[in-house]
Amino acid sequence: MELKEQFEQAAADSKNLPEKPGNDVLLQLYSLYKQGSIGDVNTEPPSNPFDFVAKAKYNAWEALKGKSTADAMTEYVALVNKLKG
């Protein structure tokens, strides 16, 4: 199976995990998904300083700046497979 297909399958599988991952893992899933599907962060940071969720998501994605989409896809697939058990 091609990497893009594995990535899309992992994204679908991530919605049906046996148990909900903790916030750190959810941020990791989010940032790897965004980096794998879009690439480097391409939006402005959230303007509301009290929107902690948006800020955490933005920072997690920004931390992956420079990582190739293929590497992000590979790590995302591996993480989802690990969470599936």
Side-chain angles (χ1 to χ4, degrees), residues 13-73:
D13 291 346
S14 73
K15 293 171 178 54
N16 300 310
L17 296 173
E19 58 186 56
K20 184 178 179 188
N23 288 339
D24 289 344
V25 175
L26 288 173
L27 277 174
Q28 191 177 5
L29 284 169
Y30 171 83
S31 60
L32 286 170
Y33 180 81
K34 294 294 266 186
Q35 190 71 19
S37 58
I38 296 172
D40 286 345
V41 67
N42 61 358
T43 60
E44 293 296 314
S47 57
N48 181 348
F50 299 105
D51 190 348
F52 301 113
V53 173
K55 189 168 180 58
K57 289 168 104 176
Y58 180 86
N59 290 342
W61 185 12
E62 187 180 45
L64 298 181
K65 195 173 207 164
K67 183 183 289 281
S68 74
T69 55
D71 285 348
M73 284 184 187

